[in-house]
Coordinates of all heavy atoms in Angstrom, one line a residue:
M1 N -1.8 -9.0 -36.3 CA -0.7 -8.3 -35.7 C -1.1 -7.0 -35.0 O -1.8 -6.2 -35.6 CB 0.5 -8.2 -36.7 CG 1.7 -7.6 -36.1 SD 3.0 -7.6 -37.4 CE 4.4 -7.1 -36.4
Y2 N -0.6 -6.9 -33.8 CA -1.0 -5.7 -33.0 C 0.3 -4.7 -32.8 O 1.3 -5.2 -33.1 CB -1.5 -6.2 -31.7 CG -2.8 -6.9 -31.8 CD1 -2.7 -8.3 -31.6 CD2 -4.0 -6.3 -32.2 CE1 -4.0 -9.0 -31.7 CE2 -5.1 -7.1 -32.3 CZ -5.1 -8.4 -32.1 OH -6.3 -9.1 -32.3
V3 N 0.0 -3.6 -32.3 CA 1.0 -2.6 -32.0 C 2.0 -3.2 -31.0 O 1.7 -4.0 -30.1 CB 0.4 -1.4 -31.4 CG1 1.5 -0.3 -31.1 CG2 -0.6 -0.7 -32.5
K4 N 3.2 -2.9 -31.2 CA 4.4 -3.4 -30.3 C 4.2 -2.6 -29.0 O 3.9 -1.5 -28.9 CB 5.8 -3.0 -30.8 CG 6.0 -3.9 -32.1 CD 7.4 -3.6 -32.6 CE 7.8 -4.3 -33.9 NZ 9.2 -4.0 -34.3
S5 N 4.5 -3.4 -28.0 CA 4.6 -2.7 -26.6 C 6.0 -3.1 -26.1 O 6.4 -4.1 -26.2 CB 3.5 -3.4 -25.7 OG 3.7 -3.0 -24.3
F6 N 6.5 -2.0 -25.3 CA 7.9 -2.2 -24.8 C 7.8 -2.3 -23.3 O 8.9 -2.3 -22.6 CB 8.7 -1.1 -25.3 CG 8.9 -1.2 -26.8 CD1 8.1 -0.2 -27.6 CD2 9.7 -2.0 -27.4 CE1 8.3 -0.4 -29.0 CE2 9.9 -2.1 -28.8 CZ 9.1 -1.2 -29.6
I7 N 6.7 -2.4 -22.7 CA 6.5 -2.5 -21.3 C 5.4 -3.5 -21.0 O 4.4 -3.6 -21.7 CB 6.3 -1.2 -20.6 CG1 6.5 -1.2 -19.1 CG2 4.9 -0.6 -21.0 CD1 6.7 0.2 -18.5
A8 N 5.5 -4.3 -19.8 CA 4.5 -5.2 -19.6 C 4.6 -5.5 -18.1 O 5.6 -5.1 -17.4 CB 4.7 -6.6 -20.3
R9 N 3.6 -6.2 -17.5 CA 3.6 -6.7 -16.1 C 4.1 -8.2 -16.1 O 3.7 -9.0 -17.0 CB 2.3 -6.6 -15.4 CG 1.9 -5.2 -15.1 CD 0.8 -5.0 -14.2 NE 0.4 -3.7 -13.9 CZ 1.0 -2.8 -13.2 NH1 2.0 -3.2 -12.5 NH2 0.6 -1.5 -13.1
N10 N 5.1 -8.5 -15.2 CA 5.5 -9.9 -15.1 C 4.6 -10.6 -14.3 O 3.5 -10.2 -13.9 CB 6.9 -10.0 -14.6 CG 7.1 -9.4 -13.2 OD1 6.1 -9.3 -12.5 ND2 8.4 -9.4 -12.7
A11 N 4.9 -12.0 -13.9 CA 4.0 -12.9 -13.2 C 3.7 -12.4 -11.8 O 2.7 -12.6 -11.2 CB 4.6 -14.3 -13.2
Y12 N 4.6 -11.5 -11.3 CA 4.5 -10.9 -10.0 C 3.7 -9.6 -10.0 O 3.7 -8.9 -8.9 CB 5.9 -10.7 -9.3 CG 6.5 -12.1 -9.2 CD1 7.6 -12.4 -10.2 CD2 6.2 -13.1 -8.2 CE1 8.3 -13.6 -10.1 CE2 6.8 -14.3 -8.2 CZ 7.8 -14.6 -9.1 OH 8.6 -15.7 -9.0
G13 N 3.3 -9.1 -11.2 CA 2.7 -7.9 -11.3 C 3.6 -6.6 -11.4 O 3.1 -5.5 -11.3
H14 N 4.9 -6.9 -11.4 CA 5.8 -5.7 -11.6 C 6.0 -5.3 -13.0 O 6.0 -6.2 -14.0 CB 7.2 -6.2 -11.1 CG 7.0 -6.6 -9.6 ND1 7.9 -7.6 -9.1 CD2 6.4 -6.1 -8.5 CE1 7.7 -7.8 -7.8 NE2 6.8 -6.8 -7.5
L15 N 6.0 -4.1 -13.2 CA 6.3 -3.4 -14.6 C 7.7 -3.8 -15.0 O 8.6 -3.6 -14.3 CB 6.1 -1.9 -14.5 CG 4.7 -1.4 -14.6 CD1 4.7 0.1 -14.4 CD2 3.9 -1.8 -15.9
M16 N 7.8 -4.3 -16.3 CA 9.1 -4.7 -16.7 C 9.2 -4.1 -18.2 O 8.3 -4.2 -18.9 CB 9.3 -6.2 -16.8 CG 9.4 -6.7 -15.4 SD 9.9 -8.5 -15.6 CE 11.6 -8.3 -16.0
S17 N 10.5 -3.7 -18.6 CA 10.7 -3.3 -19.9 C 11.0 -4.5 -20.7 O 11.4 -5.5 -20.2 CB 11.8 -2.3 -20.0 OG 13.0 -2.9 -19.8
A18 N 10.9 -4.5 -22.0 CA 11.2 -5.5 -22.9 C 12.8 -5.9 -22.8 O 13.1 -7.1 -22.9 CB 10.7 -5.3 -24.3
L19 N 13.5 -4.9 -22.6 CA 15.0 -5.2 -22.4 C 15.2 -5.9 -21.2 O 16.1 -6.9 -21.2 CB 15.7 -3.8 -22.4 CG 15.8 -3.0 -23.8 CD1 16.4 -1.6 -23.4 CD2 16.6 -3.7 -24.7
T20 N 14.6 -5.6 -20.2 CA 14.7 -6.4 -18.9 C 14.2 -7.9 -19.0 O 14.7 -8.8 -18.6 CB 14.1 -5.7 -17.8 OG1 14.6 -4.4 -17.6 CG2 14.3 -6.4 -16.3
A21 N 13.1 -8.0 -19.8 CA 12.5 -9.3 -19.9 C 13.2 -10.2 -20.7 O 13.1 -11.5 -20.7 CB 11.2 -9.0 -20.7
Q22 N 14.3 -9.8 -21.4 CA 15.2 -10.7 -22.2 C 16.1 -11.6 -21.2 O 16.3 -12.7 -21.6 CB 16.3 -9.8 -22.9 CG 15.8 -9.1 -24.2 CD 17.0 -8.5 -24.9 OE1 17.2 -8.7 -26.1 NE2 17.7 -7.6 -24.2
H23 N 16.1 -11.2 -20.0 CA 16.8 -12.0 -19.0 C 15.8 -13.2 -18.7 O 16.4 -14.2 -18.0 CB 17.2 -11.3 -17.7 CG 18.2 -10.2 -18.2 ND1 19.4 -10.4 -18.6 CD2 18.0 -8.8 -18.0 CE1 19.9 -9.2 -18.8 NE2 19.2 -8.3 -18.6
D24 N 14.6 -13.0 -18.7 CA 13.5 -14.1 -18.4 C 12.5 -14.2 -19.5 O 11.3 -14.0 -19.3 CB 13.0 -13.9 -17.1 CG 12.2 -15.0 -16.6 OD1 12.3 -16.1 -17.1 OD2 11.4 -14.9 -15.5
P25 N 12.9 -14.6 -20.8 CA 11.9 -14.5 -21.9 C 10.8 -15.6 -21.9 O 9.7 -15.3 -22.5 CB 12.9 -14.8 -23.1 CG 14.0 -15.6 -22.5 CD 14.2 -15.1 -21.2
N26 N 11.0 -16.5 -21.1 CA 9.8 -17.5 -21.0 C 8.8 -17.3 -19.9 O 8.0 -18.2 -19.6 CB 10.5 -18.9 -20.9 CG 11.4 -19.3 -22.0 OD1 10.9 -19.0 -23.1 ND2 12.5 -20.0 -21.8
S27 N 9.1 -16.2 -19.2 CA 8.0 -15.9 -18.1 C 6.7 -15.5 -18.8 O 6.6 -15.3 -19.9 CB 8.7 -14.7 -17.2 OG 7.9 -14.5 -16.2
E28 N 5.7 -15.3 -17.9 CA 4.5 -14.9 -18.3 C 4.4 -13.4 -18.2 O 4.8 -12.8 -17.1 CB 3.4 -15.5 -17.3 CG 1.9 -15.1 -17.7 CD 0.9 -15.5 -16.6 OE1 1.2 -16.8 -16.2 OE2 0.1 -14.8 -16.1
Y29 N 3.9 -12.7 -19.2 CA 3.8 -11.3 -19.3 C 2.4 -10.9 -19.7 O 1.8 -11.6 -20.5 CB 4.8 -10.6 -20.2 CG 6.2 -11.0 -19.7 CD1 7.0 -12.0 -20.4 CD2 6.7 -10.2 -18.9 CE1 8.3 -12.1 -19.9 CE2 8.1 -10.4 -18.3 CZ 8.8 -11.4 -19.0 OH 10.1 -11.7 -18.6
R30 N 2.0 -9.8 -19.0 CA 0.5 -9.3 -19.3 C 0.6 -7.9 -19.7 O 1.5 -7.2 -19.1 CB -0.4 -9.6 -18.1 CG -0.6 -11.1 -17.9 CD -1.6 -11.3 -16.8 NE -2.1 -12.7 -16.9 CZ -3.1 -13.1 -17.6 NH1 -3.8 -12.2 -18.3 NH2 -3.4 -14.4 -17.7
C31 N -0.4 -7.4 -20.3 CA -0.5 -6.0 -20.7 C -0.7 -5.1 -19.5 O -1.4 -5.5 -18.5 CB -1.6 -5.8 -21.7 SG -1.9 -4.1 -22.2
H32 N 0.1 -4.1 -19.3 CA -0.1 -3.2 -18.2 C -1.3 -2.4 -18.4 O -1.7 -1.8 -17.3 CB 1.2 -2.2 -18.1 CG 1.3 -1.4 -19.2 ND1 1.7 -1.7 -20.5 CD2 1.2 0.0 -19.2 CE1 1.8 -0.7 -21.1 NE2 1.4 0.4 -20.5
L33 N -2.1 -2.4 -19.3 CA -3.3 -1.6 -19.5 C -4.5 -2.4 -19.3 O -5.4 -2.0 -18.8 CB -3.2 -0.8 -20.8 CG -2.2 0.3 -20.9 CD1 -2.1 0.9 -22.3 CD2 -2.2 1.3 -19.8
C34 N -4.5 -3.6 -20.0 CA -5.8 -4.4 -20.0 C -5.6 -5.8 -19.4 O -6.6 -6.5 -19.3 CB -6.3 -4.5 -21.4 SG -5.2 -5.6 -22.5
N35 N -4.4 -6.1 -19.0 CA -4.1 -7.4 -18.3 C -4.3 -8.6 -19.2 O -4.4 -9.8 -18.7 CB -4.9 -7.5 -17.0 CG -4.4 -8.4 -16.1 OD1 -3.1 -8.4 -15.9 ND2 -5.1 -9.1 -15.3
S36 N -4.2 -8.4 -20.5 CA -4.2 -9.6 -21.4 C -3.0 -10.2 -21.5 O -1.8 -9.5 -21.4 CB -4.7 -9.2 -22.9 OG -6.0 -8.7 -22.8
P37 N -2.8 -11.5 -21.7 CA -1.5 -12.2 -22.0 C -0.8 -11.6 -23.2 O -1.4 -11.4 -24.2 CB -1.9 -13.7 -22.1 CG -3.3 -13.8 -22.2 CD -3.9 -12.5 -21.9
L38 N 0.5 -11.5 -23.0 CA 1.3 -11.0 -24.1 C 2.5 -12.1 -24.5 O 2.7 -12.9 -23.7 CB 2.0 -9.7 -23.7 CG 1.2 -8.5 -23.3 CD1 2.1 -7.4 -22.7 CD2 0.5 -8.1 -24.4
V39 N 2.8 -11.9 -25.7 CA 3.8 -12.8 -26.2 C 5.2 -11.9 -26.3 O 5.1 -10.8 -26.8 CB 3.7 -13.3 -27.6 CG1 4.8 -14.1 -28.2 CG2 2.4 -14.2 -27.6
F40 N 6.2 -12.4 -25.8 CA 7.6 -11.8 -25.8 C 8.3 -12.1 -27.1 O 8.4 -13.3 -27.5 CB 8.3 -12.2 -24.5 CG 9.8 -11.5 -24.6 CD1 9.8 -10.1 -24.4 CD2 10.9 -12.3 -24.8 CE1 11.1 -9.5 -24.3 CE2 12.1 -11.6 -24.8 CZ 12.3 -10.2 -24.6
H41 N 8.8 -11.2 -27.7 CA 9.6 -11.3 -28.9 C 11.1 -10.8 -28.6 O 11.3 -9.7 -28.3 CB 9.2 -10.5 -30.2 CG 7.8 -10.8 -30.6 ND1 7.6 -11.9 -31.5 CD2 6.5 -10.5 -30.2 CE1 6.2 -12.1 -31.7 NE2 5.6 -11.3 -30.9
R42 N 12.0 -11.8 -28.9 CA 13.4 -11.5 -28.6 C 13.8 -10.3 -29.6 O 13.3 -10.1 -30.6 CB 14.2 -12.6 -28.8 CG 14.0 -13.7 -27.7 CD 14.7 -14.8 -28.0 NE 14.6 -16.1 -27.1 CZ 15.2 -16.2 -26.0 NH1 16.2 -15.5 -25.7 NH2 14.8 -17.3 -25.1
S43 N 15.0 -9.8 -29.3 CA 15.5 -8.6 -30.2 C 16.2 -9.3 -31.3 O 16.5 -10.5 -31.3 CB 16.6 -7.9 -29.4 OG 17.7 -8.7 -29.0
T44 N 16.2 -8.6 -32.4 CA 16.8 -9.2 -33.6 C 17.7 -8.1 -34.1 O 17.9 -7.0 -33.5 CB 15.7 -9.3 -34.8 OG1 15.2 -8.1 -35.1 CG2 14.7 -10.3 -34.3
A45 N 18.4 -8.3 -35.2 CA 19.4 -7.4 -35.8 C 18.6 -6.2 -36.1 O 19.4 -5.0 -36.3 CB 20.1 -7.9 -37.0
R46 N 17.4 -6.1 -36.4 CA 16.7 -5.0 -36.9 C 15.7 -4.5 -35.8 O 15.2 -3.3 -36.2 CB 15.9 -5.4 -38.2 CG 16.8 -5.9 -39.3 CD 16.1 -6.2 -40.5 NE 15.7 -4.9 -41.2 CZ 14.7 -4.9 -41.9 NH1 14.1 -6.0 -42.4 NH2 14.3 -3.8 -42.5
S47 N 15.4 -5.1 -34.8 CA 14.5 -4.5 -33.8 C 14.9 -4.9 -32.3 O 15.5 -5.9 -32.2 CB 13.1 -5.0 -34.2 OG 13.0 -6.4 -33.9
R48 N 14.4 -4.0 -31.5 CA 14.6 -4.1 -30.0 C 13.6 -5.2 -29.6 O 12.6 -5.6 -30.4 CB 14.3 -2.9 -29.3 CG 15.4 -1.8 -29.7 CD 15.2 -0.6 -28.9 NE 13.8 0.0 -29.1 CZ 13.1 0.7 -28.3 NH1 13.7 1.1 -27.2 NH2 11.9 1.2 -28.6
P49 N 13.7 -5.8 -28.4 CA 12.7 -6.8 -28.0 C 11.5 -6.1 -27.8 O 11.3 -4.8 -27.4 CB 13.3 -7.3 -26.5 CG 14.3 -6.3 -26.3 CD 14.8 -5.6 -27.4
W50 N 10.3 -6.8 -27.8 CA 9.1 -6.2 -27.7 C 7.9 -7.3 -27.2 O 8.2 -8.4 -27.3 CB 8.6 -5.5 -29.0 CG 8.7 -6.3 -30.1 CD1 9.8 -6.6 -30.9 CD2 7.6 -6.8 -30.9 NE1 9.4 -7.3 -31.9 CE2 8.2 -7.5 -32.0 CE3 6.2 -6.8 -30.8 CZ2 7.4 -8.2 -33.0 CZ3 5.4 -7.5 -31.8 CH2 6.0 -8.1 -32.8
F51 N 6.8 -6.8 -26.8 CA 5.7 -7.6 -26.5 C 4.6 -7.5 -27.4 O 4.5 -6.3 -28.0 CB 5.1 -7.1 -25.1 CG 6.2 -7.4 -23.9 CD1 6.9 -6.2 -23.4 CD2 6.5 -8.6 -23.4 CE1 7.8 -6.3 -22.4 CE2 7.4 -8.8 -22.4 CZ 8.1 -7.7 -21.9
E52 N 3.8 -8.4 -27.5 CA 2.7 -8.3 -28.6 C 1.5 -9.0 -28.0 O 1.5 -10.1 -27.4 CB 2.9 -8.9 -29.9 CG 1.8 -8.9 -30.9 CD 2.2 -9.5 -32.2 OE1 3.0 -10.4 -32.2 OE2 1.8 -9.1 -33.2
H53 N 0.3 -8.4 -28.1 CA -1.0 -9.1 -27.8 C -1.3 -10.1 -28.8 O -0.8 -10.2 -29.9 CB -2.2 -8.0 -28.0 CG -2.2 -7.0 -26.8 ND1 -1.4 -6.1 -26.7 CD2 -3.1 -7.0 -25.7 CE1 -1.7 -5.3 -25.6 NE2 -2.7 -5.9 -25.1
T54 N -2.0 -11.1 -28.3 CA -2.4 -12.2 -29.4 C -4.0 -12.4 -29.1 O -4.6 -11.9 -28.3 CB -1.9 -13.5 -28.8 OG1 -2.3 -13.9 -27.5 CG2 -0.4 -13.5 -28.9
D55 N -4.5 -13.0 -30.3 CA -6.0 -13.1 -30.2 C -6.4 -14.0 -29.1 O -7.5 -13.7 -28.5 CB -6.5 -13.7 -31.6 CG -6.3 -12.7 -32.7 OD1 -6.5 -11.4 -32.4 OD2 -6.1 -13.0 -33.9
A56 N -5.5 -15.1 -28.7 CA -5.9 -15.9 -27.7 C -5.9 -15.0 -26.3 O -4.9 -14.4 -26.1 CB -5.0 -17.1 -27.7
G57 N -6.9 -15.2 -25.6 CA -7.0 -14.6 -24.2 C -7.3 -13.2 -24.2 O -7.4 -12.6 -23.2
L58 N -7.7 -12.7 -25.4 CA -8.3 -11.2 -25.4 C -9.7 -11.2 -24.9 O -10.5 -11.9 -25.5 CB -8.2 -10.7 -26.8 CG -6.9 -9.9 -27.2 CD1 -7.0 -9.5 -28.7 CD2 -6.4 -9.0 -26.3
S59 N -10.0 -10.4 -24.0 CA -11.3 -10.2 -23.6 C -12.1 -9.1 -24.3 O -11.3 -8.4 -25.1 CB -11.4 -9.8 -22.0 OG -10.8 -8.5 -22.0
E60 N -13.3 -9.1 -24.3 CA -14.0 -8.1 -25.1 C -13.8 -6.7 -24.6 O -13.6 -5.8 -25.5 CB -15.6 -8.3 -24.9 CG -16.3 -7.6 -25.9 CD -16.0 -7.7 -27.3 OE1 -15.6 -8.9 -27.7 OE2 -16.1 -6.9 -28.1
H61 N -13.5 -6.5 -23.4 CA -13.0 -5.3 -22.8 C -11.7 -4.8 -23.4 O -11.6 -3.6 -23.7 CB -13.0 -5.4 -21.3 CG -12.7 -4.1 -20.7 ND1 -11.2 -3.7 -20.5 CD2 -13.3 -3.0 -20.3 CE1 -11.2 -2.5 -19.9 NE2 -12.4 -2.0 -19.9
S62 N -10.8 -5.8 -23.5 CA -9.4 -5.4 -24.1 C -9.7 -5.0 -25.6 O -9.0 -4.1 -26.1 CB -8.4 -6.7 -24.0 OG -8.3 -7.1 -22.7
R63 N -10.5 -5.8 -26.3 CA -10.8 -5.5 -27.7 C -11.3 -4.2 -27.9 O -11.0 -3.4 -28.9 CB -11.8 -6.6 -28.4 CG -11.0 -7.9 -28.6 CD -12.0 -8.8 -29.2 NE -11.7 -10.2 -29.1 CZ -10.8 -10.9 -29.6 NH1 -10.2 -10.2 -30.6 NH2 -10.5 -12.2 -29.5
Q64 N -12.1 -3.7 -27.0 CA -12.7 -2.4 -27.2 C -11.9 -1.3 -26.6 O -12.0 0.0 -27.1 CB -14.0 -2.4 -26.6 CG -15.0 -3.3 -27.2 CD -16.4 -3.3 -26.6 OE1 -16.7 -2.5 -25.7 NE2 -17.2 -4.1 -27.1
H65 N -11.1 -1.5 -25.6 CA -10.4 -0.3 -24.8 C -8.9 -0.3 -24.9 O -8.4 0.7 -24.5 CB -11.0 -0.2 -23.4 CG -12.4 -0.2 -23.4 ND1 -13.2 1.0 -23.8 CD2 -13.5 -1.0 -23.1 CE1 -14.5 0.9 -23.7 NE2 -14.6 -0.4 -23.2
C66 N -8.2 -1.4 -25.1 CA -6.8 -1.3 -25.0 C -6.2 -0.6 -26.2 O -6.4 -0.9 -27.4 CB -6.1 -2.8 -24.9 SG -4.5 -2.7 -24.7
P67 N -5.4 0.6 -26.0 CA -4.9 1.3 -27.2 C -3.8 0.6 -27.9 O -3.6 1.0 -29.0 CB -4.3 2.6 -26.4 CG -4.0 2.1 -25.0 CD -5.1 1.0 -24.6
Y68 N -3.4 -0.5 -27.4 CA -2.4 -1.4 -28.3 C -3.1 -2.2 -29.3 O -2.6 -2.6 -30.2 CB -1.6 -2.3 -27.4 CG -0.6 -1.6 -26.6 CD1 -0.8 -1.5 -25.1 CD2 0.6 -1.0 -27.2 CE1 0.1 -0.8 -24.4 CE2 1.5 -0.4 -26.3 CZ 1.3 -0.2 -24.9 OH 2.2 0.4 -24.2
I69 N -4.4 -2.3 -29.1 CA -5.3 -3.2 -30.0 C -6.1 -2.2 -30.9 O -6.2 -2.4 -32.1 CB -6.3 -4.1 -29.2 CG1 -5.4 -5.1 -28.4 CG2 -7.2 -4.8 -30.1 CD1 -6.1 -6.0 -27.5
N70 N -6.6 -1.1 -30.3 CA -7.5 -0.3 -31.0 C -6.7 1.1 -31.3 O -6.7 2.0 -30.6 CB -8.7 0.2 -30.3 CG -9.6 -1.1 -30.1 OD1 -10.0 -1.6 -31.2 ND2 -9.9 -1.4 -28.8
V71 N -5.8 0.9 -32.4 CA -5.1 2.2 -32.7 C -5.9 3.0 -33.6 O -6.6 2.5 -34.6 CB -3.8 1.7 -33.5 CG1 -3.0 2.9 -33.9 CG2 -2.9 0.9 -32.6
A72 N -6.1 4.3 -33.3 CA -6.9 5.2 -34.2 C -6.2 5.2 -35.5 O -5.0 5.3 -35.7 CB -6.8 6.6 -33.5
F73 N -7.1 5.1 -36.5 CA -6.7 5.1 -37.9 C -5.9 6.3 -38.3 O -4.8 6.2 -39.0 CB -8.0 4.9 -38.8 CG -7.6 5.0 -40.4 CD1 -6.9 4.0 -41.0 CD2 -7.8 6.3 -41.0 CE1 -6.6 4.1 -42.3 CE2 -7.4 6.3 -42.4 CZ -6.9 5.2 -43.0
E74 N -6.3 7.4 -37.8 CA -5.6 8.7 -38.2 C -4.3 8.7 -37.6 O -3.3 9.2 -38.2 CB -6.4 10.0 -37.6 CG -7.8 10.2 -38.3 CD -8.8 9.2 -37.6 OE1 -8.5 8.7 -36.4 OE2 -10.0 9.1 -38.1
E75 N -4.2 8.1 -36.4 CA -2.8 8.1 -35.7 C -1.8 7.1 -36.6 O -0.7 7.5 -36.8 CB -3.0 7.6 -34.3 CG -1.6 7.6 -33.6 CD -1.8 7.0 -32.1 OE1 -3.0 7.4 -31.5 OE2 -1.1 6.5 -31.5
A76 N -2.4 6.0 -36.9 CA -1.6 5.1 -37.7 C -1.2 5.7 -39.1 O 0.1 5.6 -39.5 CB -2.2 3.9 -38.0
A77 N -2.0 6.5 -39.7 CA -1.8 7.0 -41.0 C -0.7 8.1 -40.9 O 0.2 8.2 -41.7 CB -3.0 7.7 -41.6
T78 N -0.8 8.9 -39.8 CA 0.2 10.0 -39.5 C 1.6 9.3 -39.3 O 2.6 9.9 -39.8 CB -0.1 10.8 -38.2 OG1 -1.5 11.4 -38.6 CG2 0.8 11.8 -38.0
V79 N 1.6 8.3 -38.5 CA 2.9 7.6 -38.2 C 3.4 7.1 -39.6 O 4.7 7.2 -39.8 CB 2.6 6.4 -37.3 CG1 4.0 5.6 -37.2 CG2 2.4 7.0 -35.9
N80 N 2.6 6.6 -40.4 CA 3.2 6.0 -41.7 C 3.7 7.1 -42.6 O 4.9 7.1 -43.2 CB 2.2 5.3 -42.4 CG 2.0 3.9 -41.8 OD1 2.9 3.3 -41.3 ND2 0.8 3.4 -42.1
V81 N 3.1 8.3 -42.7 CA 3.6 9.4 -43.4 C 4.9 10.0 -42.8 O 5.8 10.2 -43.6 CB 2.4 10.6 -43.4 CG1 3.1 11.9 -43.9 CG2 1.2 10.1 -44.2
L82 N 5.0 10.1 -41.4 CA 6.2 10.5 -40.9 C 7.3 9.6 -41.2 O 8.5 10.0 -41.5 CB 6.1 10.6 -39.3 CG 5.1 11.9 -38.9 CD1 4.9 11.7 -37.4 CD2 5.8 13.2 -39.3
R83 N 7.1 8.3 -41.2 CA 8.2 7.4 -41.5 C 8.6 7.4 -43.0 O 9.8 7.1 -43.3 CB 7.5 5.9 -41.2 CG 7.7 5.7 -39.7 CD 7.2 4.1 -39.4 NE 7.2 4.0 -37.9 CZ 6.6 2.9 -37.4 NH1 5.9 2.2 -38.0 NH2 6.7 2.8 -36.1
T84 N 7.8 7.8 -43.8 CA 8.1 8.0 -45.2 C 8.9 9.2 -45.4 O 10.0 9.2 -46.1 CB 6.8 8.2 -46.1 OG1 6.0 7.0 -45.9 CG2 7.2 8.3 -47.4
L85 N 8.6 10.3 -44.7 CA 9.3 11.5 -44.8 C 10.7 11.6 -44.1 O 11.7 12.0 -44.5 CB 8.5 12.6 -44.3 CG 7.2 12.9 -45.2 CD1 6.3 14.0 -44.5 CD2 7.5 13.3 -46.6
V86 N 10.7 11.0 -42.9 CA 11.8 10.9 -42.1 C 11.9 9.4 -41.5 O 11.5 9.1 -40.4 CB 11.7 11.8 -40.8 CG1 13.0 11.9 -40.0 CG2 11.3 13.3 -41.3
P87 N 12.6 8.6 -42.2 CA 12.7 7.2 -42.0 C 13.2 6.8 -40.6 O 12.6 5.8 -40.0 CB 13.6 6.5 -43.0 CG 13.6 7.5 -44.1 CD 13.3 8.9 -43.5
K88 N 14.1 7.5 -40.1 CA 14.5 7.1 -38.7 C 14.0 7.9 -37.5 O 14.3 7.6 -36.4 CB 16.1 7.2 -38.7 CG 16.8 6.2 -39.6 CD 18.3 6.3 -39.5 CE 18.9 5.2 -40.4 NZ 20.3 5.2 -40.3
A89 N 13.0 8.8 -37.8 CA 12.5 9.5 -36.8 C 11.4 8.6 -35.9 O 10.7 7.9 -36.7 CB 11.9 10.8 -37.3
R90 N 11.3 8.8 -34.8 CA 10.3 8.2 -34.0 C 9.2 9.1 -33.6 O 9.4 10.2 -33.0 CB 10.9 7.5 -32.7 CG 11.8 6.4 -33.0 CD 12.2 5.8 -31.8 NE 13.2 4.6 -32.2 CZ 13.7 3.9 -31.3 NH1 13.6 4.2 -30.1 NH2 14.5 2.9 -31.7
P91 N 8.0 8.9 -34.0 CA 6.9 9.8 -33.7 C 6.6 10.0 -32.3 O 6.7 8.8 -31.5 CB 5.8 9.4 -34.6 CG 6.0 7.9 -34.8 CD 7.6 7.8 -34.8
L92 N 6.4 11.0 -31.7 CA 5.9 11.3 -30.4 C 4.3 11.2 -30.4 O 3.6 12.0 -31.0 CB 6.4 12.7 -29.8 CG 5.9 13.0 -28.5 CD1 6.5 12.0 -27.4 CD2 6.3 14.4 -28.1
V93 N 3.8 10.3 -29.7 CA 2.4 9.9 -29.6 C 2.0 10.5 -28.3 O 2.5 10.2 -27.2 CB 2.1 8.5 -29.6 CG1 0.6 8.3 -29.5 CG2 2.7 8.0 -31.0
Q94 N 0.9 11.4 -28.3 CA 0.4 12.0 -27.1 C -1.0 11.8 -27.1 O -1.7 11.8 -28.1 CB 0.5 13.5 -27.1 CG 2.1 13.9 -27.2 CD 2.3 15.4 -27.1 OE1 1.4 16.1 -27.6 NE2 3.4 15.9 -26.7
R95 N -1.5 11.5 -25.9 CA -3.0 11.2 -25.7 C -3.5 12.4 -24.9 O -2.9 13.0 -24.0 CB -3.2 10.1 -25.0 CG -2.8 8.8 -25.8 CD -3.7 7.6 -25.4 NE -3.4 6.5 -26.3 CZ -4.3 6.3 -27.4 NH1 -5.4 7.0 -27.5 NH2 -4.0 5.4 -28.3
G96 N -4.8 12.8 -25.2 CA -5.5 13.9 -24.6 C -6.0 13.5 -23.2 O -6.3 14.4 -22.3
H97 N -6.0 12.2 -22.8 CA -6.6 11.8 -21.6 C -5.8 10.7 -21.0 O -4.9 10.2 -21.6 CB -8.0 11.3 -21.7 CG -8.2 10.2 -22.7 ND1 -8.1 10.4 -24.1 CD2 -8.3 8.9 -22.5 CE1 -8.3 9.3 -24.6 NE2 -8.5 8.3 -23.8
Ligands
LIG1 ZN1 -3.6 -4.4 -23.6

């Protein structure tokens, strides 16, 4: 299981949010960063709609460089601690580059 993504490129190369993708859930979606195929997950009672990388179709470049696949361990640990302390708070993730 990989990190959830809430934005992707559709079959025409346009950026789409997962909320917008609900209108066309069977379309082809690709990662906006690494161009790997994504699976669309519909919204549920507990979560908003989202996209996810899958092992099928991942290139070696994606495995090494896409931040949705290679989440820094320290970042994931910080997010888990914040969720424990403040369950409904969403952490602000910032990148230096
Ligand atoms: Zn990606």
Side-chain angles (χ1 to χ4, degrees):
M1 185 172 186
Y2 296 108
V3 175
K4 292 180 179 180
S5 172
F6 297 98
I7 191 166
R9 291 197 181 276
N10 66 8
Y12 302 104
H14 300 140
L15 284 174
M16 295 189 69
S17 71
L19 286 173
T20 305
Q22 286 187 121
H23 302 295
D24 193 10
N26 297 320
S27 185
E28 176 184 321
Y29 296 101
R30 293 188 164 269
C31 177
H32 65 288
L33 298 176
C34 72
N35 205 34
S36 295
L38 300 176
V39 173
F40 177 72
H41 296 270
R42 294 175 185 268
S43 62
T44 65
R46 300 182 69 201
S47 70
R48 298 181 301 160
W50 51 286
F51 301 100
E52 182 182 28
H53 285 75
T54 62
D55 287 330
L58 273 183
S59 67
E60 192 56 34
H61 181 269
S62 299
R63 288 183 198 280
Q64 293 180 4
H65 300 290
C66 184
Y68 290 107
I69 297 170
N70 292 304
V71 179
F73 175 75
E74 298 84 15
E75 184 177 326
T78 300
V79 169
N80 286 335
V81 169
L82 287 173
R83 284 184 177 155
T84 303
L85 297 174
V86 187
K88 292 188 177 182
R90 294 186 178 174
L92 176 62
V93 177
Q94 296 179 336
R95 294 213 170 258
H97 58 283

